[in-house]
Amino acid sequence: MKKQLRTAAVLLLLASACRQPAQQSGASGVNKFSDATLRRIYTLQDERKTQDLLTFLDRPETMYRREAALAFGSVQDSTAIPALSSLLQDFEAEVRKATAYALGQIGNAKAEPALMEAYNQEQNVPVRAEILEAWGKCATQNGLDMIARYTAQANMEPAQAWALYRAGQRKLNYTVAITKAAALLNSSQEEARLGASHFLGRTAKLDPSPAKAQLFKVVQQDPSANVRMAAALALGKMTDTTGLVPVVTKVLTSDPDYRVRLNAVRPLYQLPYAAVQASAWKALTDAHPHVALSAAEYLAGKAPAADAGKLLEAAQKQTDWRVRATLFGAALASAPANQKNEIGQQIQQRFAKASNPYEKSALLTALGKDQSQYPFIEQQVFQAKHPAISTTGMDALISIRSQKNFDGTAAPAFNQLFKKAIESGDVALVGMAAGVLRNPDLTLKNAYPDFAFLTQAKAKLTLPRDIETYLEVQKTLDYLQGETSAPTPATPFSHPINWTLVNRLQKTQKAKLKTSKGEVTLELLVEDAPGSVANFVELLEQGFFNGKNFHRVVPNFVAQGGCPRGDGWGSTDYAIRSEFADLNYLEGYVGMASAGKDTESCQWFITHSPTPHLDGKYTIFARVIKGMDVVHQLNIGDTIEKVELVR
């Protein structure tokens, strides 16, 4: 079940069952936060003050009870379960709906009995749908089996499908659920088919083979590209691959949506190379570079040594630098020993000529396919002028050290370069190298006379800015000392919501994102994530984002930017709190990147397609309303030229 900003067709099909009730704006303000009581509720949410929030659940005003209930979707304090469970009997439907969402966000099995009882009593369709999905988020094995055996009416099938998907994150037995998901793939409702497809494609260690016939039909014939691409993911997990080759080949070569073609590359890994190589090589010429990149990554992992020359030739002809670098890496990995040096030299020459630091980074990744290249990579790591080069180079060195055929005679040199990285003080190099030291396969516990350099590196970190690196170093120290992992330090509450700024923003405030690929218009979700929106606006008004890059673009997932370093390890000197509204990640939704709850600062991402595994875990604060075609063309290194507020 998806709650807000769905297409009109879906909303009609669900009889508005999945739409969040419209929030009531203050009578005299540009958004609802002209109401001082609402500001108080959101401030308490931001400060994580459970006891103070609980008092608002008894308020006579419907709006305040609803907003206080929703606040617990962000606070996620299990001590609130009894009070929220009682609120499932509230006389106002919108309060019951908000309460169900909050209980689902808490995700504690203790809430399951109350949700089950409320579901049996509830007559309002939107509320019932919300309760069912929340039940899935809290489900025990018995609860999941009850959901899976339930024969839902047509208007409840989407909620049932998403309940199965949410329960799929709870590590249960899904034998019965697979049967129900297969049946839901035949639903007349797109949302039901979408939820079922994501359940089959994203539930860990689930083999969707029993639903093979339905998945084959959906991936080839469903009118929704979103459903087809989710079904393609599921095909990549099947152990029964009988009949899969012609289906995947057809989708990979003929689906009109590049995202479906891209996802069709995933099932190739399950199939014999000889049976699909022609399709994989053809995909290298796909009109969309992200599909070509996925095909290149497949060939890098699966092409035999005999294809080394073909891979090198394809690399030399390729115009897209990401695809080219990936193919160079594949050629280097596949080439016989007597040819590796020559290919390595070609890559080094391209590295020297490249002006784009992100292309240089990709070429270092390619060089990481051959251990003999590590001296060159190490040199670039410690003399790089751009953090993306040093960070990616370190990742390449880690990859080399982790290879099963690693030549142990180089181990002392790697031990020293990892120590050098930790002593460098660079947050990325420190965090990455620290992570290597606790890899049990590398047995590095005895590689150093002492680990004072780790303790010293940790002492130099600043929280919350360096929280990601701090956690990596602390985990490594715990591992090396044989201690139980230390608790994660609480994120300091150092950046309260700027209500003055919030109250000058329109309810549907727009922002224009000017990129090197074109313009994108965002609608800022002021009333759902006021703290995140205020932080974003504060930064854009400082010109913080101007001139920065999209440092991370994962095909058919996200385009991410806002990092002051340009490599994903940058942050501000403060952190803001996570804000989880009753929303879902659809195509073009904008979320805050984080290293865990309440660690957000300046990095954000835009989704290429529905990504339900991010729901309720990463703050949604905006959505694309114009320029989604530009988002689909963004690549690593593309520039954020300017971000500004517009009417």
Side-chain angles (χ1 to χ4, degrees):
M1 174 184 60
K2 304 298 182 194
K3 268 73 73 177
Q4 188 176 9
L5 302 169
R6 288 290 189 190
T7 62
V10 171
L11 292 172
L12 288 172
L13 282 170
L14 297 184
S16 299
C18 301
R19 186 179 177 88
Q20 179 183 348
Q23 303 288 1
Q24 299 176 16
S25 296
S28 61
V30 293
N31 61 62
K32 70 182 183 182
F33 294 113
S34 60
D35 186 311
T37 302
L38 286 184
R39 294 199 301 273
R40 176 62 177 161
I41 291 172
Y42 273 74
T43 297
L44 292 173
Q45 169 190 309
D46 198 45
E47 295 173 346
R48 306 301 192 229
K49 291 185 175 179
T50 295
Q51 294 306 312
D52 291 335
L53 271 173
L54 286 173
T55 64
F56 286 91
L57 298 181
D58 297 324
R59 288 288 294 257
E61 301 92 342
T62 298
M63 178 170 63
Y64 298 152
R65 296 198 308 279
R66 180 192 68 217
E67 294 289 348
L70 285 173
F72 283 106
S74 295
V75 177
Q76 299 175 341
D77 186 345
S78 61
T79 64
I81 290 176
L84 289 169
S85 296
S86 298
L87 208 62
L88 286 171
Q89 309 304 320
D90 194 276
F91 58 88
E92 291 289 352
E94 62 189 86
V95 176
R96 301 195 301 275
K97 187 173 184 290
T99 302
Y101 172 75
L103 287 169
Q105 277 291 100
I106 295 171
N108 192 306
K110 292 180 180 179
E112 185 182 49
L115 289 165
M116 292 169 65
E117 180 181 359
Y119 183 77
N120 290 328
Q121 297 176 358
E122 185 61 58
Q123 299 300 312
N124 182 285
V125 172
V127 179
R128 206 163 192 241
E130 189 77 57
I131 292 172
L132 185 55
E133 184 171 354
W135 179 3
K137 293 178 182 179
C138 302
T140 60
Q141 185 64 58
N142 181 60
L144 169 62
D145 290 343
M146 290 177 66
I147 293 170
R149 291 192 175 101
Y150 166 57
T151 301
Q153 294 181 342
N155 61 4
M156 289 300 296
E157 286 179 349
Q160 184 177 25
W162 286 110
L164 293 179
Y165 171 78
R166 303 304 178 190
Q169 316 306 304
R170 297 185 64 80
K171 300 179 181 179
L172 303 171
N173 182 301
Y174 300 106
T175 303
V176 178
I178 292 174
T179 300
K180 176 57 68 173
L184 288 169
L185 289 177
N186 295 318
S187 172
S188 62
Q189 302 205 40
E190 177 184 340
E191 278 295 306
R193 302 193 305 276
L194 183 63
S197 296
H198 276 291
F199 166 74
L200 293 168
R202 293 188 181 275
T203 301
K205 298 181 180 179
L206 181 148
D207 180 5
S209 295
K212 182 172 71 171
Q214 293 89 342
L215 286 169
F216 278 9
K217 178 181 178 181
V218 166
V219 79
Q220 296 178 90
Q221 300 178 17
D222 200 279
S224 167
N226 288 336
V227 176
R228 298 198 305 276
M229 68 179 83
L233 284 180
L235 296 183
K237 297 178 60 186
M238 293 195 312
T239 57
D240 178 4
T241 59
T242 305
L244 183 57
V245 172
V247 172
V248 172
T249 298
K250 177 183 176 183
V251 174
L252 180 59
T253 57
S254 64
D255 195 281
D257 194 298
Y258 89 89
R259 298 167 299 172
V260 182
R261 301 197 302 276
L262 190 154
N263 279 11
V265 174
R266 312 283 178 87
L268 299 184
Y269 290 88
Q270 298 287 96
L271 299 166
Y273 178 73
V276 297
Q277 61 175 321
S279 297
W281 282 97
K282 184 177 180 181
L284 277 179
T285 62
D286 193 278
H288 201 289
H290 288 179
V291 179
L293 177 61
S294 295
E297 290 170 344
Y298 165 77
L299 291 170
K302 291 294 185 178
D307 281 355
K310 189 176 180 182
L311 289 165
L312 181 60
E313 182 180 358
Q316 293 166 337
K317 293 180 179 179
Q318 181 59 237
T319 57
D320 184 277
W321 63 263
R322 288 186 74 184
V323 180
R324 181 170 60 237
T326 301
L327 291 171
F328 267 122
L332 182 59
S334 302
N338 62 350
Q339 295 179 16
K340 287 185 181 295
N341 185 61
E342 179 182 350
I343 297 175
Q345 288 299 315
Q346 287 191 45
I347 299 173
Q348 288 187 29
Q349 290 168 8
R350 285 189 174 270
F351 179 92
K353 294 179 181 178
S355 57
N356 180 349
Y358 296 97
E359 180 177 0
K360 285 180 175 288
S361 300
L363 291 168
L364 289 184
T365 299
L367 287 172
K369 304 299 181 181
D370 178 19
Q371 181 175 332
S372 69
Q373 298 294 327
Y374 86 83
F376 178 85
I377 300 173
E378 179 183 2
Q379 180 183 23
Q380 305 312 316
V381 166
F382 293 108
Q383 71 176 26
K385 295 181 180 179
H386 194 290
I389 299 173
S390 56
T391 300
T392 309
M394 178 54 63
D395 191 56
L397 292 171
I398 293 170
S399 176
I400 291 173
R401 182 62 183 87
S402 303
Q403 291 172 1
K404 292 182 179 180
N405 61 348
F406 177 75
D407 181 356
T409 61
F414 275 76
N415 294 345
Q416 289 307 304
L417 73 85
F418 292 144
K419 183 172 183 287
K420 181 179 179 181
I422 291 170
E423 292 174 335
S424 72
D426 181 278
V427 291
L429 299 187
V430 172
M432 297 172 75
V436 176
L437 300 193
R438 69 174 186 271
N439 183 336
D441 296 332
L442 304 185
T443 61
L444 296 178
K445 278 190 175 183
N446 299 318
Y448 307 95
D450 63 70
F451 295 99
F453 63 95
L454 272 170
T455 305
Q456 293 165 4
K458 188 179 92 166
K460 295 177 181 178
L461 299 173
T462 300
L463 295 180
R465 184 193 64 197
D466 305 328
I467 182 64
E468 187 171 1
T469 301
Y470 180 96
L471 294 176
E472 287 296 320
V473 175
Q474 186 60 57
K475 289 177 184 177
T476 299
L477 284 169
D478 293 337
Y479 168 78
L480 294 173
Q481 296 166 2
E483 298 178 359
T484 303
S485 295
T488 301
T491 303
F493 183 69
S494 59
H495 199 75
I497 298 173
N498 184 341
W499 288 117
T500 301
L501 188 155
V502 170
N503 278 325
R504 66 177 171 84
L505 299 176
Q506 297 291 326
K507 178 180 178 179
T508 56
Q509 179 67 57
K510 310 298 191 299
K512 183 174 291 185
L513 173 64
K514 296 181 179 180
T515 80
S516 52
K517 288 285 177 64
E519 293 186 351
V520 179
T521 303
L522 309 178
E523 178 184 319
L524 303 181
L525 304 180
V526 180
E527 297 197 338
D528 295 297
S532 301
V533 168
N535 177 65
F536 182 77
V537 173
E538 286 175 341
L539 291 172
L540 76 82
E541 290 185 338
Q542 296 167 17
F544 179 90
F545 301 118
N546 300 347
K548 291 181 173 58
N549 302 103
F550 287 96
H551 64 272
R552 179 176 182 240
V553 177
V554 182
N556 199 21
F557 182 39
V558 298
Q560 185 168 326
C563 175
R565 287 170 51 98
D567 65 347
W569 286 82
S571 184
T572 58
D573 291 333
Y574 62 85
I576 62 173
R577 300 303 180 101
S578 305
E579 297 174 292
F580 303 129
D582 194 1
L583 301 169
N584 300 90
Y585 277 98
L586 313 179
E587 178 186 6
Y589 274 55
V590 188
M592 292 297 300
S594 74
K597 187 181 176 185
D598 298 338
T599 63
E600 297 87 343
S601 65
C602 57
Q603 293 190 43
W604 43 268
F605 56 84
I606 308 175
T607 56
H608 291 142
S609 59
T611 52
H613 56 296
L614 303 182
D615 292 348
K617 298 177 182 177
Y618 294 86
T619 301
I620 296 174
F621 73 94
R623 66 178 183 123
V624 175
I625 58 173
K626 184 179 180 182
M628 196 62 211
D629 57 327
V630 174
V631 175
H632 284 301
Q633 295 300 320
L634 290 173
N635 201 356
I636 291 176
D638 283 340
T639 305
I640 302 169
E641 296 176 349
K642 188 176 183 180
V643 186
E644 59 186 346
L645 294 182
V646 294
R647 286 287 184 179

